[in-house]
């Protein structure tokens, strides 16, 4: 900043106080011991949107370093129900990264959804909630929630909707998304199996003439198998993923939740 | 001409030891239409008469949810009630956030009590012009509280505030012994009968002007008490209850019960 | 002439010299706990059929110096829950005072019948307390003024089931059938997980079994953790309340294994 204004020929010296006050550097050799407010608690999440459903999933391991803190720590949360048990919720938030920030983010969003209900007498739509979540994250742009969030629900037409976020709130609606420690392992698998990337119709031509396999929405059973396979693969190759698989299926009839075992090694 | 010199603000006592502004605020409560609340061992119910300012306008809501375990009935200035209800909602959400439990009803009522009391002791402030009945459940079971603009709060077994509420209170006093062991349905019917006592001659309970709200505890599968969340019923949802108390002139609940039984699927 | 609007109406540096903004720099680095000073080592706890057993030794170390040898690191809350502290002892004492205040407030709110001991209905249970502490710790980390502790909270939850959970200086929370802080996470947790890998396993353990497991773990910790002590506190918390013993001596130690350790001492082979 200072260098920028020193370009002024008249100002070959110290700058204005209001641009940036001079900072006193710590004396030579003084050690600045700073508290690091973040840790990475590992784990992985995944969401796939279907024609009339959304499947959200996450493993239930919570780590710090090489230690497993807990083998059962859910990363998926129902959001915006009227009661504490979230029986009538219609949205699911998954968070992965720093667990305490994830928890705080979830509670912020849930309270906001509850206040929305008080004010408007109806639940928040997936689209509105997605936009609001983005602003919540961006409000802490300079001390971010270190959490990769995915929001799942159904849109106004009843189609599956998945919104994925970075820690400072940029977001987009997608067909599917993997987040967290094993995202780089799961995402390419999803590209291939959900969006049929690199799948071509056999014998349809050579090189650029090759025709892509036509995309079709996956059935719920297919998706559930895909999710399990994705996590079984991730568990095999990533030490921070394992123990249990939490899966939520959002349909017009509500949210079904299942827990499946994963390898605990 | 006589002029009261001691009612210009709420910080001045009259020589008789009265604070007129607070008493006037209590009068505002009596201007509001009547609301009745009753608590039993398992449930607390609120019932209310809604008023419409004119034939063409809608009816003013009287019962409001605060949190899943608590709700209020209001009599007096609706806008003042909104301030209090927003405050209560925020306190409940905050409590749930920091402790992971529903706010004890007494703590909640004490908070609005203190809030209202400070208004009566600071120059330039005005007491709330609204009285509340607060119904809720917590670990100790169902509760019913009365709140007055003076900041007075008191736990009640059954109570009524608002216009002509003395008639309703008389009914409640007469039937006080029954309430403890009443079911949810019986409580509602007692509430509605108390309301009817307060009505002026040619008016009666209709689907348009009657509101009912309930909250309670039910035994869960594991034998532990589960909260049955606060829920407000309006319009067609209260038809069966109104009909069940339509033509019993005597206090006995006999006839109404069987009739109400089969059409009571309003709960969810 | 400097035409930038920021400079309008201000003394020119080339005429008057640069503005001396040093007075704005009154902020020395905040002297919050930037690192722990006097510390307690592991706290361990395991669930059993009707409750939780928790233990921690009575040592407060000043670096590698065994500074205070009679420091109680387990405390009860409203005769219903037990809180165990690892990490900085001054922060523990701050939290202890804070919890005393909270307990008094809570006792006022929910009057108990004098004759009955143990938890009163409606008072903060272990789950409520853990939630509160986690908010407190997370708030302090957000202020960059952390309470340098890892805390275990044990008791029963709202559904009257055994409850055990942890919260650390960053506000991270988790639960598990068995928990251990610090070195305990490496040394004691694997032993406890042998007996209670899942909630179902823990629900089969008896009180005596759980106490034995915890005592065994305390012994292993004393063998291997250089910042530990053979005097410890142990608490058993159930629906009926808390039994806390604060001056236990480690029993049946056997240092036979030490003879086989080679390469650290004066031995030459």
């Amino acid at each position: 900043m200072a260098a920028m204004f020193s370009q002024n020929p008249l100002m070959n010296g110290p700058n204005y106080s209001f641009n940036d006050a001079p900072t006193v550097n710590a004396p030579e050799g003084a050690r600045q011991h700073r508290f690091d407010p973040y840790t990475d608690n590992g784990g992985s999440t995944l969401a796939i949107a279907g024609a009339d459903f959304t499947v959200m999933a996450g493993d239930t391991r919570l780590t710090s370093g090489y230690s497993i803190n807990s083998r059962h720590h859910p990363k998926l949360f129902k959001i915006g129900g009227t009661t504490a048990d979230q029986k009538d919720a219609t949205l699911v938030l998954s968070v992965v990264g720093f667990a305490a920030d994830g928890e705080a983010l979830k509670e912020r969003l849930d309270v906001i959804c509850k206040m929305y209900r008080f004010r408007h007498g109806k639940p928040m739509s997936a689209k509105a909630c997605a936009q609001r979540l983005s602003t919540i994250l961006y409000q802490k742009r300079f001390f971010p929630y270190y959490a990769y969030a995915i929001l799942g629900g159904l849109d106004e037409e009843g189609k599956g909707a998945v919104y994925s976020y970075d820690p400072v709130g940029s977001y987009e609606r997608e067909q599917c998304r993997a987040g967290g420690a094993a995202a780089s392992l799961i995402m390419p698998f999803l590209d291939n199996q959900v969006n049929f990337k690199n799948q071509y119709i056999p014998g349809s031509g050579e090189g650029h003439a090759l025709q892509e396999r036509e995309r079709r929405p996956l059935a719920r059973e297919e998706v559930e198998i895909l999710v399990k396979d994705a996590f079984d693969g991730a568990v095999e190759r990533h030490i921070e993923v394992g123990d249990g698989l939490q899966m939520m299926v959002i349909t017009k009839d509500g949210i079904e939740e299942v827990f499946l075992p994963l390898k605990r090694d | 001409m006589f002029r009261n010199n001691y009612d210009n603000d709420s910080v001045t006592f009259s020589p008789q030891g009265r604070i007129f502004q607070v008493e006037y605020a209590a009068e505002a409560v009596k201007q509001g239409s009547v609301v009745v609340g009753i608590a039993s061992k398992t449930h607390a119910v609120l019932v209310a008469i809604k008023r419409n300012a004119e034939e063409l306008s809608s009816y003013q809501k009287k019962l409001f949810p605060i949190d899943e375990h608590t709700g209020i009935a209001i009599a007096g200035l609706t806008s003042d009630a909104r301030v209090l209800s927003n405050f209560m909602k925020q306190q409940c959400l905050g409590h749930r956030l920091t402790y992971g439990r529903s706010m004890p009803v007494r703590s909640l009522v004490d908070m609005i009590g203190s809030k209202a009391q400070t208004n009566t002791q600071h120059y330039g402030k005005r007491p709330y012009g609204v009285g509340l009945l607060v119904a809720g459940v917590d670990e100790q079971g169902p509760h019913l509280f009365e709140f007055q603009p003076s900041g007075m709060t008191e736990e009640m077994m059954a109570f009524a505030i608002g216009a002509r509420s003395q008639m309703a209170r008389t009914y409640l006093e007469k039937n006080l012994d029954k309430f403890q062991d009443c079911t949810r349905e019986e409580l509602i019917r007692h509430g509605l009968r108390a309301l009817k006592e307060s009505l002026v001659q040619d008016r009666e309970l209709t689907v348009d002007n009657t509101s009912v709200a309930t909250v309670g505890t039910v035994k869960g599968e594991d034998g532990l008490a589960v909260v049955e969340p606060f829920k407000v019923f309006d319009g067609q949802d209260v038809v069966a209850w109104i009909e069940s108390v339509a033509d019993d002139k005597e206090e006995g609940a006999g006839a109404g019960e069987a009739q109400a039984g089969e059409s009571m699927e309003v709960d969810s | 002439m400097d035409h930038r609007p920021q400079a309008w109406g201000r003394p020119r540096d080339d005429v008057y010299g640069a503005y001396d903004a040093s007075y704005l720099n009154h902020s020395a680095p905040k002297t919050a706990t930037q690192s722990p000073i006097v510390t307690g080592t592991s706290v361990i706890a395991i669930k059993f059929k009707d409750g939780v057993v928790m233990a921690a030794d009575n040592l407060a170390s000043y670096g590698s110096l065994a500074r205070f040898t009679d420091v109680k690191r387990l405390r009860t809350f409203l005769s219903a829950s037990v809180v165990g502290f690892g990490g900085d002892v001054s922060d523990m004492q701050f939290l202890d005072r804070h919890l005393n205040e909270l307990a008094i407030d809570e006792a006022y709110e929910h009057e108990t019948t004098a004759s009955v001991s143990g938890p009163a209905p409606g008072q903060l249970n272990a789950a409520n307390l853990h939630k509160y502490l986690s908010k407190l710790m997370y708030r302090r980390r957000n202020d960059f003024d952390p309470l340098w502790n890892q805390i275990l909270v044990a008791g029963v939850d709202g559904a009257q089931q055994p409850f055990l959970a942890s919260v650390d200086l960053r506000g991270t929370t988790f639960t598990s059938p068995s928990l251990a802080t610090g070195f305990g996470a490496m040394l004691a947790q694997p032993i406890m997980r042998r007996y209670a890998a899942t909630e179902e396993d823990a629900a089969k353990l008896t009180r005596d079994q759980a106490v034995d497991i915890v005592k065994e773990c305390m012994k292993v910790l004393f063998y291997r953790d250089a910042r530990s002590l053979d005097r410890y506190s142990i608490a058993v918390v159930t629906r009926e309340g808390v039994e806390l013993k604060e001056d236990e001596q480690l029993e049946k130690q056997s240092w036979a294994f030490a003879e086989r350790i080679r390469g650290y001492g004066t031995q030459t082979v």
Side-chain angles (χ1 to χ4, degrees), chain C residues 93-268:
Chain C
Q93 290 169 342
F94 166 79
L95 278 165
D96 184 54
R97 291 193 294 273
H98 186 76
L99 289 181
N100 279 336
E101 278 176 37
L102 186 67
I104 290 168
D105 288 350
E106 193 64 9
Y108 269 122
E109 209 135 285
H110 308 268
E111 284 162 47
T112 49
T113 38
S115 57
V116 184
S117 65
Q123 287 191 343
L124 292 172
N125 60 36
N128 300 144
L129 176 63
H130 173 257
K131 186 75 150 193
Y132 177 78
L133 282 172
S134 70
K135 296 287 143 128
L136 180 67
M137 299 294 272
Y138 184 68
R139 171 68 189 272
R140 293 291 292 253
R141 90 110 216 185
N142 279 345
D143 297 343
F144 278 84
D145 185 14
L147 294 165
W148 217 286
N149 299 105
Q150 190 173 358
I151 301 170
L152 299 188
V153 183
V156 291
D157 63 13
Q160 294 292 304
Q161 293 306 307
F163 176 88
L164 172 61
S166 161
V167 55
D168 69 6
L169 70 165
R170 294 184 179 84
T172 317
T173 58
F174 47 88
T175 78
S176 181
S178 62
L179 286 174
T181 74
F183 253 109
M186 282 86 193
L187 296 173
Q189 185 69 304
I191 299 171
M192 292 192 286
R193 280 187 183 158
R194 266 216 301 273
Y195 298 98
T198 63
E199 295 287 343
E200 292 74 35
D201 293 340
K204 286 185 198 121
L205 290 177
T206 65
R207 176 195 167 122
D208 291 342
Q209 280 174 311
V211 170
D212 288 344
I213 294 165
V214 164
K215 284 185 173 170
E216 181 65 21
C217 288
M218 290 308 286
K219 206 154 65 180
V220 171
L221 282 168
F222 181 57
Y223 289 154
R224 291 292 184 179
D225 180 359
R227 310 278 172 266
S228 67
L229 197 67
D230 55 353
R231 299 204 79 84
Y232 65 99
S233 309
I234 185 164
V236 182
V237 51
T238 60
R239 281 176 274 272
E240 279 69 47
V242 182
E243 291 164 51
L244 173 61
K245 287 184 275 190
E246 289 189 313
D247 199 18
E248 296 293 286
Q249 171 72 38
L250 227 75
E251 286 164 347
K252 291 191 251 125
Q253 292 176 42
S254 165
W255 288 84
F257 71 93
E259 285 165 25
R260 278 175 280 117
I261 298 174
R262 289 286 178 271
Y264 294 98
T266 50
Q267 317 99 336
T268 45

Side-chain angles (χ1 to χ4, degrees), chain B:
Chain B
M1 197 179 122
F2 171 75
R3 211 182 90 80
N4 189 345
N5 289 313
Y6 299 98
D7 67 351
N8 288 316
D9 53 60
S10 60
V11 299
T12 312
F13 279 105
S14 79
Q16 287 77 37
R18 298 162 64 178
I19 299 171
F20 283 101
Q21 279 297 325
V22 176
E23 289 182 24
Y24 298 162
E27 287 302 312
V29 178
K30 292 178 192 162
Q31 305 281 328
S33 64
V34 63
V35 292
V36 174
I38 315 175
S40 74
K41 277 181 194 156
T42 60
H43 286 84
V45 306
L46 298 172
V47 295
I49 293 290
K50 291 180 287 186
R51 274 203 291 233
N52 54 344
E54 48 187 302
E55 207 52 28
L56 295 169
S57 77
S58 63
Y59 286 79
Q60 179 59 52
K61 280 176 72 181
K62 296 283 284 176
L63 307 178
F64 298 91
I66 294 298
D67 197 7
E68 63 176 274
H69 72 298
T70 309
I72 55 168
I74 65 165
L77 298 180
T78 315
S79 37
D80 282 14
R82 190 172 55 235
V83 173
L84 283 171
S85 113
N86 280 340
F87 175 78
M88 291 166 85
K89 283 172 184 177
Q90 258 158 24
Q91 292 304 319
C92 284
L93 280 173
H95 192 96
R96 202 175 280 283
L97 214 57
T98 38
Y99 298 101
R101 67 170 183 186
S102 40
M103 191 165 190
V105 187
R106 182 180 289 278
S107 323
L108 179 66
V109 173
D110 283 352
M111 291 190 89
I112 55 167
S114 322
K115 199 171 150 68
Q117 195 278 338
T118 52
N119 281 352
T120 69
Q121 222 178 5
H122 288 274
Y123 190 83
K125 296 214 171 205
R126 134 177 113 66
Y128 289 106
V130 69
L132 305 181
L133 292 180
V134 183
V137 288
D138 53 29
E139 278 88 345
Q140 264 89 312
H143 298 280
L144 176 72
F145 285 91
E146 180 208 2
F147 161 85
Q148 284 291 330
S150 59
M152 186 226 59
T153 59
E154 197 162 18
E155 176 145 26
M156 295 293 190
M157 296 159 87
F159 205 59
I161 55 172
R164 298 165 58 84
S165 57
Q166 183 52 53
M167 312 285 278
R169 282 201 295 277
T170 307
Y171 172 89
L172 296 173
E173 280 162 20
K174 253 189 245 165
N175 294 276
L176 195 57
D177 303 334
K178 300 176 191 163
F179 298 149
Q180 274 293 296
D181 299 306
C182 274
T183 64
R184 173 173 171 275
E185 303 304 316
E186 287 163 353
L187 274 191
I188 294 171
R189 281 196 296 276
H190 278 301
L192 291 176
R193 286 195 205 99
L195 269 192
K196 281 170 77 174
E197 298 285 323
S198 288
L199 288 175
V200 282
Q201 203 64 61
D202 53 346
R203 289 196 60 190
E204 53 186 24
L205 299 179
T206 68
V207 290
D208 294 320
N209 73 4
T210 310
S211 266
V212 175
T214 66
V215 64
T217 52
V218 283
K219 274 265 174 358
E221 294 122 50
D222 48 2
L224 288 162
V226 178
V227 174
E228 190 183 286
F230 186 87
K231 190 159 192 260
V232 181
F233 302 91
D234 281 305
Q236 289 309 309
D237 294 336
V238 300
V239 175
W241 286 316
I242 293 175
E243 282 171 0
S244 73
V245 295
D247 39 37
D248 54 348
K249 287 279 170 274
E250 79 285 37
E251 263 82 78
E257 252 149 86
Q259 195 185 343
E262 73 269 5
S263 50
M264 282 295 98
E265 303 294 347
V266 282
D267 187 15
S268 62

Side-chain angles (χ1 to χ4, degrees), chain A residues 5 8 10-11 14-19 21-22 24 32-39 41 62 67-73 98-101 103-104 107 143 145 264, chain C residues 1-2 4 6-7 10-11 13-14 18-19 21 24-25 29 34-35 131 135 138 141-142 144 146 148 169-176 179 185-186 189 193 197-198:
Chain A
F5 291 111
N8 190 324
L10 280 176
M11 304 270 303
N15 253 304
Y16 292 104
S17 62
F18 46 80
N19 282 328
V24 178
Q32 270 276 1
H33 191 88
R34 268 183 79 78
F35 163 67
D36 178 6
Y38 294 114
T39 40
N41 297 113
L62 184 94
S67 292
I68 296 172
N69 282 337
S70 176
R71 295 190 190 278
H72 189 81
H73 187 87
F98 174 38
D101 273 351
E103 181 88 7
E107 290 190 342
F143 182 26
Y145 287 117
R264 292 155 68 93
Chain C
M1 179 66 199
D2 186 353
R4 293 174 304 120
Q6 293 98 310
R10 287 177 184 270
D13 276 11
D14 55 333
Y19 183 73
L24 289 168
N25 271 304
Q34 296 291 317
S35 57
K131 186 75 150 193
K135 296 287 143 128
Y138 184 68
R141 90 110 216 185
N142 279 345
F144 278 84
W148 217 286
L169 70 165
R170 294 184 179 84
T172 317
T173 58
F174 47 88
T175 78
S176 181
L179 286 174
M186 282 86 193
Q189 185 69 304
R193 280 187 183 158
T198 63

Side-chain angles (χ1 to χ4, degrees), chain A residues 5-260:
Chain A
F5 291 111
S6 294
Q7 302 302 312
N8 190 324
L10 280 176
M11 304 270 303
N12 193 17
N15 253 304
Y16 292 104
S17 62
F18 46 80
N19 282 328
D20 53 354
T23 50
V24 178
N25 288 317
E28 209 53 45
R31 204 154 48 101
Q32 270 276 1
H33 191 88
R34 268 183 79 78
F35 163 67
D36 178 6
Y38 294 114
T39 40
D40 189 342
N41 297 113
S44 224
T45 56
L46 161 58
I48 299 173
D52 57 353
F53 65 90
T54 296
V55 176
M56 305 276 292
D59 71 320
T60 65
R61 177 175 290 182
L62 184 94
T63 65
S64 61
Y66 288 118
S67 292
I68 296 172
N69 282 337
S70 176
R71 295 190 190 278
H72 189 81
H73 187 87
K75 291 178 181 60
L76 269 48
F77 305 102
K78 297 176 186 174
I79 292 290
T82 43
T83 55
D85 59 16
Q86 303 282 11
K87 214 179 287 174
D88 53 352
T90 55
L91 298 168
V92 175
L93 176 74
S94 75
V95 282
V96 65
F98 174 38
D101 273 351
E103 181 88 7
L105 179 64
K106 163 215 127 189
E107 290 190 342
R108 272 284 287 288
L109 188 67
D110 189 49
V111 165
I112 284 165
C113 285
K114 284 198 162 66
M115 288 308 287
Y116 183 99
R117 241 184 224 269
F118 279 142
R119 297 219 174 100
H120 300 90
K122 64 176 185 188
M124 222 167 178
S125 70
K127 194 179 173 181
C129 193
Q131 170 69 60
R132 190 67 181 86
L133 178 55
S134 171
T135 58
I136 293 169
L137 287 163
Y138 194 78
Q139 273 169 13
K140 271 175 70 72
R141 173 62 180 78
F142 297 108
F143 182 26
Y145 287 117
Y146 173 40
Y148 293 89
I150 304 176
L151 186 72
L154 300 176
D155 66 10
E156 283 91 340
E157 297 162 33
K159 293 193 181 115
V162 165
Y163 294 87
S164 68
Y165 298 77
D166 78 351
V168 289
S170 86
Y171 79 114
E172 66 176 325
R173 185 174 168 181
E174 292 181 292
Q175 207 54 41
C176 65
R177 171 59 65 180
S184 55
L185 277 62
I186 297 175
M187 204 59 219
F189 173 71
L190 257 34
D191 285 337
N192 182 253
Q193 291 295 306
V194 178
N195 292 324
F196 297 155
K197 291 285 162 64
N198 293 304
Q199 293 200 45
Y200 298 96
I201 298 166
S204 59
E206 296 261 308
H208 290 299
L210 266 174
Q211 278 183 323
E212 286 187 4
R213 181 181 166 192
E214 199 180 334
R215 286 181 56 192
R216 61 175 174 81
L218 299 178
R220 183 179 154 179
E221 293 71 29
E222 288 179 287
V223 172
E224 285 180 24
I225 293 167
L226 217 54
V227 167
K228 185 68 174 36
D229 287 349
F231 272 93
D232 282 334
V235 167
E236 210 58 54
R237 288 289 184 177
H238 202 117
I239 56 165
E240 291 174 350
V241 183
D243 291 330
L245 175 64
Q246 181 194 21
M247 187 152 70
M248 289 197 188
V249 186
I250 308 147
T251 64
K252 63 177 186 340
D253 304 316
I255 301 172
E256 294 165 49
E257 182 177 21
V258 283
F259 285 96
L260 300 167

